[in-house]
Amino acid sequence: MNQQALKVVIAGLQQDTELLAELGKVLQQQYILMSLRQSEQLEQLNQQAHQLLAKLQHNATERQNAMQQMQLPLSEQGIETLLAMLPEKVRNASRQLFDKVQQHTQICQQLNRKNGELLAYQRGLMQKLLGLDDKTQYPQLQMSSR
């Protein structure tokens, strides 16, 4: 087994656990700021979320490359095969790490869905208030010249 590739996979999972936990906090804060319509703080928070997602994407790419080096499929089955090849002590710790990444991922997906629902609700409310027929544009506003 390629020890360096194995280290990349394990280290990436460890970092992803931390990144996903932080992303969860960001998504929770995002919901609050969207509810309060605090656009400036929301913009800063969105940039933070974007940075976290970029790091997660980088780790995923590194993990895919490492899995390919070990000639394992890029899937949950590939991770299962990898875990089965590890000594028991390392396997158990790695299994817990993988499970933690999956749990954090599910939490982030739920929070993101909740944020999307809030955004859709706010958009629908604005459309009703402004009497929009075309759901993609704001109405033409009369500008008075004073």
Side-chain angles (χ1 to χ4, degrees):
M1 179 183 311
N2 184 331
Q3 294 297 317
Q4 184 60 32
L6 176 61
K7 287 179 184 179
V8 167
V9 171
I10 301 296
L13 290 174
Q14 288 172 330
Q15 188 177 23
D16 283 0
T17 300
E18 296 166 11
L19 292 170
L20 287 164
E22 185 159 347
L23 182 61
K25 292 175 187 176
V26 166
L27 290 168
Q28 290 173 347
Q29 187 65 29
Q30 189 181 52
Y31 185 89
I32 293 167
L33 292 176
M34 285 187 333
S35 296
L36 298 172
R37 294 177 303 282
Q38 305 231 340
S39 59
E40 287 183 31
Q41 292 100 333
L42 187 57
E43 180 60 32
Q44 293 171 356
L45 198 63
N46 288 345
Q47 290 174 5
Q48 185 180 352
H50 181 71
Q51 291 170 351
L52 291 170
L53 290 169
K55 289 176 185 177
L56 287 164
Q57 180 59 49
H58 173 75
N59 287 352
T61 300
E62 292 291 316
R63 189 167 33 256
Q64 289 172 352
N65 291 338
M67 295 291 284
Q68 287 175 338
Q69 287 176 10
M70 292 184 286
Q71 299 179 345
L72 293 171
L74 304 175
S75 64
E76 190 171 337
Q77 181 185 15
I79 294 288
E80 293 297 333
T81 302
L82 174 65
L83 292 174
M85 296 186 317
L86 298 173
E88 185 176 350
K89 189 174 183 179
V90 176
R91 180 183 329 131
N92 291 338
S94 298
R95 157 78 52 217
Q96 289 176 355
L97 192 56
F98 181 66
D99 290 346
K100 201 179 249 188
V101 167
Q102 287 184 312
Q103 290 169 350
H104 282 295
T105 299
Q106 290 173 350
I107 289 168
C108 287
Q109 287 172 337
Q110 290 170 355
L111 291 169
N112 191 51
R113 184 174 26 260
K114 184 174 128 179
N115 290 354
E117 290 169 357
L118 175 61
L119 195 57
Y121 170 77
Q122 288 175 336
R123 180 182 167 112
L125 183 60
M126 288 301 295
Q127 288 172 344
K128 286 180 185 176
L129 290 173
L130 296 173
L132 296 178
D133 293 328
D134 180 356
K135 305 298 185 209
T136 61
Q137 295 182 355
Y138 282 103
Q140 293 291 342
L141 299 176
Q142 297 285 329
M143 301 295 279
S144 62
S145 55
R146 292 185 190 191

